[in-house]
């Protein structure tokens, strides 16, 4: 269908709203964590699991969600994921204990893993090739707007209505998504293949053991997670229909881009998790003020990511993927100035702006490097793998960084303990960004070509 047609516009609207719910939840819930702690007495481990219960299922099952959509019908799986996400949101909003909230967040993650891969796949399958690039651009831009309003909306809702409202807001959006999809979105399928249930089970088992082990500092569990991860790789190398085609990692650029992704998104997620809590527990900010502090990075990415992508297509991704993380690391170092009664304009926003400039420089070139290094018929799975890597990095960062920097038990509510832990965590995240820059400088080729022979070079 053409994008300009009524059905085309409705289809893109449904995909934007559907994926937008997931993006919104990524940014909106973190601002509610202190309020959740006060109400449900969650403690540091409980707050980690409010974030990680969601991310664990999303990271572990997002590739499964894409495979199910290809086999069973993308619209069907997209709608099922949306319904599950909404149902879990009701349970989150009604949670009477931290344990119930964590369980509901895990169900949200499963719903997100079902609906997220389908949004772009449905656009690609349904929109006319001449309009497809523009449709994806509209999807990206409007999804970015959803991410941008998340901190403001979340902060305002927590301040004025309460933390439960950040979950209730998902319900009308989900109802609209399902209604539009049932009426305007055609069914589509990809190549039907056998679902790699063993691979999915090994993924969830490995990430669960690693996350539990890091949160509880149980190194036996961490070791178990590493062993199961090794079994997952072994299985993928031998499975007839692997969840992750390991041959993609034979390409140096693809492997390097995903390694850089892991370091960068661990730093991004870990630093933002600490920042919004530090601003509220130590600096005394309201949730809305803390949300404002995270806004510059999103605005800069919305305004200039397309330009950064165009530049990277001309000069290659290596330079922006090297410079961007270093600039972002400089922004994190500016956050070290944030203490008690920190001023938003002079103490917080300079770091947020520099951090946002760094992310703007690197994110679009990183995506370009991943997609350009994969064969044309595997760009979808390449994008899915990179998405799973970034989610996994964030999951492990939120699990590992607080105990590594000495934040545990009731320490979130103790400024004299949380403050030094925050500074140590920010330095650690800055180091991860530098590591990502080094990987890019050494292993990413300048013109953005992969190691695969190009036409005429065989």
């Amino acid at each position: 269908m053409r994008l300009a047609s009524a059905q085309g516009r409705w289809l893109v609207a449904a995909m934007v709203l559907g994926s937008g719910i997931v993006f919104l939840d990524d940014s909106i819930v973190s601002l509610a964590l202190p309020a959740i702690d006060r109400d449900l007495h969650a403690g540091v481990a409980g707050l980690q699991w409010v974030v990680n219960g969601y991310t664990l299922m999303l990271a572990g099952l997002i590739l499964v969600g894409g495979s199910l959509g290809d086999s069973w019908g993308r619209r069907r799986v997209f709608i099922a994921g949306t319904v599950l996400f909404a149902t879990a949101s009701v349970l989150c909003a009604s949670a009477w204990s931290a344990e119930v909230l964590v369980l509901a967040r895990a169900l949200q993650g499963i719903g997100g893993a079902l609906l997220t891969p389908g949004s772009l796949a449905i656009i690609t399958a349904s929109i006319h090739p001449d309009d497809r690039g523009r449709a994806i651009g509209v999807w990206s831009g409007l999804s970015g707007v959803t991410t941008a309003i998340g901190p403001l909306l979340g902060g305002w809702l927590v301040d004025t209505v309460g933390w439960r409202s950040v979950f209730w807001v998902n319900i009308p959006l989900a109802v609209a998504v399902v209604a539009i999809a049932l009426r305007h979105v055609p069914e589509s399928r990809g190549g039907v293949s056998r679902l790699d249930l063993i691979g999915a089970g090994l993924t969830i088992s490995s990430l669960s053991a690693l996350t539990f082990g890091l949160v509880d500092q149980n190194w036996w569990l961490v070791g178990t997670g590493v062993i199961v991860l090794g079994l997952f790789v072994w299985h993928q190398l031998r499975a007839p229909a692997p969840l992750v085609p390991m041959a993609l990692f034979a390409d140096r650029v693809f492997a390097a881009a995903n390694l850089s992704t892991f370091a960068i998104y661990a730093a991004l997620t870990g630093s933002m998790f600490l920042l919004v809590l530090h601003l509220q527990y130590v600096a005394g900010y309201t949730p809305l003020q803390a949300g404002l502090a995270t806004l510059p990075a999103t605005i800069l990415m919305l305004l200039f990511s397309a330009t950064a992508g165009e530049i990277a297509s001309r000069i290659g991704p290596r330079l922006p993927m090297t410079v961007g993380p270093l600039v972002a690391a400089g922004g994190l170092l500016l956050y070290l100035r944030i203490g008690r009664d920190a001023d938003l304009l002079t103490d917080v926003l300079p770091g947020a702006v520099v951090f946002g400039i760094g992310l703007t420089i690197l994110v679009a070139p990183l995506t370009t490097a991943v997609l350009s290094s994969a064969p044309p018929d595997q760009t979808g799975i390449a994008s899915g793998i990179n998405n799973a890597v970034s989610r996994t990095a964030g999951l492990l960062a939120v699990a590992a960084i607080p105990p590594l920097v000495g934040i545990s038990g009731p320490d979130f509510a103790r400024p004299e303990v949380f403050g030094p832990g925050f500074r140590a965590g920010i330095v650690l995240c800055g180091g991860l960004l530098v590591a990502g820059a080094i990987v890019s400088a050494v292993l990413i080729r300048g013109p953005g070509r992969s190691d695969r022979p190009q036409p005429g070079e065989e």
Side-chain angles (χ1 to χ4, degrees):
M1 67 188 72
R2 302 306 298 242
L3 179 60
S5 67
Q7 186 180 11
R9 291 194 297 270
W10 279 115
L11 182 144
V12 172
M15 298 306 104
V16 167
L17 285 175
S19 58
I21 297 174
V22 179
F23 295 146
L24 186 67
D25 233 57
D26 281 341
S27 58
I28 200 172
V29 173
S30 60
L31 292 164
L33 292 177
I36 291 171
D37 184 26
R38 289 191 296 270
D39 189 18
L40 300 182
H41 309 291
V44 58
L47 293 183
Q48 286 173 287
W49 277 109
V50 169
V51 176
N52 284 341
Y54 175 76
T55 313
L56 172 62
M57 292 301 169
L58 188 58
L61 296 175
I62 195 166
L63 293 175
V64 176
S67 297
L68 287 175
D70 288 342
S71 300
W72 295 354
R74 296 182 180 115
R75 185 185 75 157
R76 178 182 300 170
V77 173
F78 177 83
I79 291 174
T82 305
V83 171
L84 178 58
F85 195 95
T87 303
S89 296
V90 172
L91 185 56
C92 287
S94 309
W96 55 90
S97 69
E99 292 77 13
V100 172
L101 179 58
V102 170
L103 174 62
R105 288 283 285 162
L107 292 175
Q108 268 192 320
I110 296 173
L114 293 177
L115 74 90
T116 300
S119 59
L120 270 179
I122 288 171
I123 289 175
T124 302
S126 304
I127 297 295
H128 191 280
D130 291 344
D131 295 339
R132 196 171 294 154
R134 186 176 168 215
I136 292 173
V138 171
W139 177 89
S140 300
L142 292 179
S143 296
V145 171
T146 304
T147 304
I149 66 173
L152 291 179
L153 178 62
W156 179 78
L157 285 172
V158 175
D159 275 349
T160 58
V161 184
W163 67 265
R164 297 178 189 275
S165 61
V166 305
F167 298 107
W168 286 120
V169 76
N170 294 329
I171 309 307
L173 295 175
V175 170
V177 169
V178 172
I180 297 171
L182 287 172
R183 183 174 178 84
H184 297 287
V185 176
E187 186 59 277
S188 62
R189 288 176 171 82
V192 179
S193 60
R194 192 168 59 190
L195 186 62
D196 184 12
L197 294 176
I198 296 176
L202 289 171
T203 301
I204 292 294
S205 299
S206 173
L207 293 179
S208 297
L210 287 169
T211 306
F212 274 102
L214 290 170
V215 169
D216 295 338
Q217 300 183 65
N218 184 324
W219 305 116
W220 184 88
L221 271 179
V222 172
T224 300
V226 172
I227 292 171
V228 176
L229 180 61
L231 289 175
F232 169 77
V233 174
W234 180 85
H235 171 73
Q236 294 303 287
L237 290 169
R238 288 157 178 78
L243 201 60
V244 177
M246 299 303 291
L248 285 171
F249 289 91
D251 185 288
R252 186 178 69 178
V253 174
F254 184 82
N258 279 285
L259 182 58
S260 184
T261 293
F262 188 89
I264 288 167
Y265 277 86
L268 170 61
T269 308
S271 61
M272 290 301 101
F273 177 75
L274 293 175
L275 177 65
V276 295
L277 294 173
H278 183 72
L279 288 173
Q280 294 180 68
Y281 281 126
V282 177
Y285 282 27
T286 66
L288 180 57
Q289 289 172 322
L292 286 170
T294 68
L295 199 57
T298 306
I299 292 176
L300 287 167
M301 290 180 66
L302 270 175
L303 293 176
F304 301 112
S305 283
T307 302
E310 291 174 4
I311 294 172
S313 67
R314 293 198 300 268
I315 68 173
R318 178 166 60 181
L319 182 60
M321 285 179 62
T322 301
V323 173
L326 295 177
V327 174
L332 289 186
L333 292 180
L334 290 175
Y335 283 149
L336 297 177
R337 303 164 60 225
I338 303 173
R340 294 192 182 190
D341 302 316
D343 184 80
L344 179 64
L345 291 177
T346 61
D347 296 325
V348 181
L349 289 185
V353 171
V354 175
F355 184 68
I357 292 171
L359 291 183
T360 302
I361 293 171
L362 73 91
V363 168
L366 177 58
T367 303
T368 299
V370 169
L371 297 182
S372 65
S373 62
D377 61 343
Q378 290 188 295
T379 54
I381 188 63
S383 177
I385 291 170
N386 191 247
N387 195 323
V389 167
S390 65
R391 301 282 184 177
T392 300
L395 169 71
L396 298 180
V398 172
I401 290 176
L404 283 176
V405 299
I407 300 173
S408 60
D411 293 340
F412 276 158
R414 297 168 57 193
E416 67 277 9
V417 176
F418 190 89
F422 166 77
R423 289 189 287 274
I426 289 297
V427 171
L428 177 57
C429 290
L432 288 170
L433 287 168
V434 173
I438 292 172
V439 168
S440 299
V442 173
L443 297 178
I444 300 291
R445 285 190 173 184
R449 292 171 53 188
S450 72
D451 293 334
R452 185 182 299 104
Q454 303 301 306
E457 293 182 355
E458 289 85 347

